[in-house]
Amino acid sequence: MIVNPDAFTVLCFGDSNTFGQPAEGRGRWPVDVRWTGRLQQRLGSGYAIIEEGLGGRTTDLNDPDRDDRNGRTYFQPCLRSHSPLDMVVIMLGNNDLKTKFGRQPDAVAAALEGYLGNIERTAWTRNGAVPAVLLVSPIHLDASQPNFAEQNSEYDVDSVCKSRELGDAIRRVAVRRGVLFADAATVARPGIDGVHLSRDSHESLSLLVAEKIEDCR
């Protein structure tokens, strides 16, 4: 925990790629490998990075197979728990593209827009303002990776195509609502399972997010 009372506090809310699941299998990358940990190291003690990642987390969908993965139901109490906050970074969307949900990219982006309302109503900075927001569109799913078919039965080719359209859909929401936007797929890629960040991509993603945060101050 960063104990600097003046630290610029950033909540990073996401799924397994914020949790740090390796593409090679189960488990979790160490904190100094995960992009959130790399972000903390890069920015230093003048910033406090709060990591809130959960594997399988959707934007606002109830998963019939796992009853605690609806991100929206947890998001508002999460904001209350961690405020005051200076910025909220949200990177979600690929889990919504699983075949069982049948969701389109624009619907995913619309669900993320609902998060902005939660932030406006619930979160607060030390000065009583609304925290800045950075929407990060996730990396593209990659069916060409050797373990994709074996490890990801919940996705199909259509899911992969939708993941490539998701960035533009989220960007449109960010522009319309006047919040920051970053596209993780411009700097990061999945590893051998075609879904989870490769180890080296955690570093490049941390750099992208750090630049957006520093530009905001």
Side-chain angles (χ1 to χ4, degrees), residues 169-180:
I170 296 174
R171 186 195 305 272
R172 289 192 291 271
V173 168
V175 170
R176 184 170 65 252
R177 295 297 297 269
V179 302
L180 299 170

Side-chain angles (χ1 to χ4, degrees), residues 55-57 62-70 95 98 100 154:
R57 176 176 279 158
N62 292 317
D63 189 329
D65 302 310
R66 292 182 285 184
D67 63 5
D68 58 355
R69 297 309 200 269
N70 185 327
N95 284 308
K98 291 175 179 177
K100 61 185 168 185
E154 293 185 295

Side-chain angles (χ1 to χ4, degrees), residues 79-120:
L79 292 174
R80 295 188 188 280
S81 176
H82 292 300
S83 287
L85 294 164
D86 295 292
M87 176 177 275
V88 180
V89 178
I90 303 169
M91 187 172 72
L92 287 171
N94 276 350
N95 284 308
D96 289 37
L97 303 180
K98 291 175 179 177
T99 56
K100 61 185 168 185
F101 298 127
R103 204 166 217 186
Q104 298 299 318
D106 283 340
V108 179
L112 287 170
E113 187 167 7
Y115 280 67
L116 305 183
N118 288 108
I119 294 168
E120 292 167 355

Side-chain angles (χ1 to χ4, degrees), residues 1-4 6-10 36-49 210 213-214 217:
M1 176 182 292
I2 298 296
V3 295
N4 176 4
D6 298 318
F8 188 88
T9 304
V10 182
T36 44
R38 299 301 301 156
L39 182 64
Q40 181 68 77
Q41 289 183 311
R42 185 178 299 280
L43 293 175
S45 61
Y47 296 79
I49 306 303
I213 292 172
E214 290 175 322
R217 294 204 66 178

Side-chain angles (χ1 to χ4, degrees), residues 199-217:
R199 178 174 178 140
D200 61 312
S201 288
H202 282 271
E203 176 69 17
S204 55
L205 179 57
S206 74
L207 177 58
L208 175 66
V209 175
E211 290 173 347
K212 293 291 184 177
I213 292 172
E214 290 175 322
D215 288 347
C216 181
R217 294 204 66 178

